[in-house]
Amino acid sequence: MDNNQSVCDTMLDVPKSVAPQAQKFTAVFIKLFEHQWKTYEGQKKVSTSYQYILYEFYANSNTHSKMSARKFCVGGNWKMNGDQKSIAEISKTLSGAALDPNTEVVIGCPAIYLMYARNLLPCTVGVAGQNAYKVAKGAFTGEISPAMLKDIGADWVILGHSERRAIFNESDELIAEKAEHALAEGLKVIACIGETLDEREAGKTNEVVARQMCAYAKKVRDWTNVVVAYEPVWAIGTGKTATPEQAQEVHAFLRQWLTDNISKEVSAALRIQYGGSVTAANAKDLAKKPDIDGFLVGGASLKPEFVDIINARQ
Ligand code: PGA
């Protein structure tokens, strides 16, 4: 770098997805410490990761001053959708948008496109596998492991989705074993639960979600890297969203279940997402509920309105 050139001139490549206030904060911080920055070797190479750290610092300091200590977390679940062209378009939309720095964003991408999406999505957006097996490697044709996800830069995995339970016959036990292994390998887990319409109509919602949580609890020792996604099956892909009150009722039940069965601390800290036909039109009202800490979004995560869902708390 030319010695007369300001560090700010070369380093203000803050991700476009970072909201203007976070960009300003990062710029001011770098300006203040300009002298020290000049002493580093190879600033250009490290600049992006340092900016990301600053951005995270900003986002976290803001979160803690807010009502809930739980950082809002929005997942996009692309399921078996997309191709290179549409993934490039979605990534461009997310890179160009001002995303709320107080919201953690993660995209569940088809396995074959994970690396491609990782390279195109903003660095502030996490990437998730939509499934992973319960062991590191071996003769399991067609499966992928948490170690492989980590290897290509994914840091999350979605487990226990109702489509995996219903279509691929995954049991509570298998899903819990997968969660245990994924956590041990250092992945973060979106652990899905939820009742079917028949179960809801039979008044069994709480019983079903408690059973699913019990299975996870038998295998999970540390809940720090877990986000629970409550997704009533009757609301998934049907356009029938649970009302904010219906969702809050189950989230409050889960919060109490965690207090009674795990600990007060885990109950206070664990994030519980709502999933099932979340759209830009209903996200704001759902996000106002005290125990809803984010969303897992299917169909709408493939559309530009996903940005408004991410920003639902603004
Ligand atoms: P949906 O899917 O938003 O299309 O209802 C949610 C999900 O399956 O995670």
Side-chain angles (χ1 to χ4, degrees):
M1 186 175 72
D2 172 355
N3 267 353
N4 294 326
Q5 198 179 4
S6 156
V7 172
C8 286
D9 294 342
T10 60
M11 298 185 57
L12 279 185
D13 182 27
V14 181
K16 284 196 204 77
S17 58
V18 174
Q21 61 269 41
Q23 287 193 15
K24 203 165 154 205
F25 171 87
T26 306
V28 169
F29 190 95
I30 290 173
K31 186 84 195 149
L32 279 173
F33 292 94
E34 189 168 350
H35 178 72
Q36 283 86 336
W37 280 92
K38 274 187 174 168
T39 65
Y40 280 116
E41 300 251 327
Q43 291 94 333
K44 271 231 141 181
K45 228 170 92 198
V46 295
S47 67
T48 311
S49 38
Y50 274 108
Q51 284 163 13
Y52 182 52
I53 291 165
L54 290 169
Y55 156 75
E56 275 288 296
F57 173 75
Y58 171 88
N60 287 335
S61 61
N62 251 21
T63 308
H64 293 313
S65 63
K66 290 218 163 160
M67 183 182 74
S68 159
R70 297 185 297 268
K71 186 170 182 173
F72 208 65
C73 180
V74 174
N77 177 8
W78 290 350
K79 310 191 181 184
M80 200 174 73
N81 292 299
D83 53 22
Q84 295 191 58
K85 188 163 172 276
S86 63
I87 290 172
E89 274 162 25
I90 298 170
S91 302
K92 199 167 159 202
T93 302
L94 291 175
S95 301
L99 306 180
D100 186 344
N102 296 309
T103 296
E104 186 168 8
V105 183
V106 50
I107 298 285
C109 175
I112 197 160
Y113 294 124
L114 273 167
M115 236 167 136
Y116 178 68
R118 175 61 292 164
N119 288 332
L120 292 178
L121 286 166
C123 61
T124 52
V125 169
V127 171
Q130 297 176 6
N131 183 29
Y133 199 49
K134 61 178 180 175
V135 295
K137 60 179 179 174
F140 303 101
T141 304
E143 292 294 304
I144 57 170
S145 71
M148 291 170 181
L149 288 174
K150 284 213 79 179
D151 189 40
I152 56 96
D155 31 20
W156 288 82
V157 63
I158 299 169
L159 293 173
H161 191 278
S162 69
E163 285 146 22
R164 301 249 21 122
R165 292 175 188 264
I167 305 170
F168 301 100
N169 292 323
E170 292 196 9
S171 65
D172 289 347
E173 289 69 31
L174 174 63
I175 294 160
E177 283 169 359
K178 287 181 173 191
E180 179 184 31
H181 178 63
L183 290 168
E185 292 281 317
L187 279 181
K188 290 179 262 190
V189 171
I190 295 179
C192 303
I193 57 171
E195 83 287 1
T196 62
L197 186 58
D198 283 353
E199 288 164 340
R200 172 161 282 255
E201 285 175 348
K204 289 186 172 162
T205 298
N206 291 353
E207 186 188 316
V208 170
V209 294
R211 187 200 76 223
Q212 293 167 332
M213 286 302 295
C214 265
Y216 284 120
K218 279 189 190 147
K219 299 287 176 189
V220 174
R221 289 287 152 265
D222 181 350
W223 291 81
T224 316
N225 287 332
V226 179
V227 168
V228 168
Y230 166 61
E231 301 199 293
V233 181
W234 47 272
I236 294 178
T238 58
K240 264 191 234 159
T241 326
T243 63
E245 291 67 34
Q246 281 174 319
Q248 168 59 27
E249 197 183 346
V250 181
H251 283 233
F253 169 78
L254 290 166
R255 197 75 66 201
Q256 189 58 48
W257 185 92
L258 289 163
T259 304
D260 298 342
N261 295 277
I262 312 290
S263 72
K264 254 196 204 148
E265 290 71 27
V266 169
S267 175
L270 185 72
R271 292 173 295 176
I272 308 175
Q273 296 173 321
Y274 167 77
S277 300
V278 175
T279 62
N282 57 35
K284 269 197 186 300
D285 284 339
L286 286 159
K288 283 186 195 136
K289 292 295 174 190
D291 290 300
I292 296 181
D293 307 313
F295 305 118
L296 187 55
V297 186
S301 69
L302 294 156
K303 302 179 191 161
E305 71 177 286
F306 188 51
V307 170
D308 297 323
I309 299 173
I310 292 168
N311 293 339
R313 275 259 172 112
Q314 277 183 336

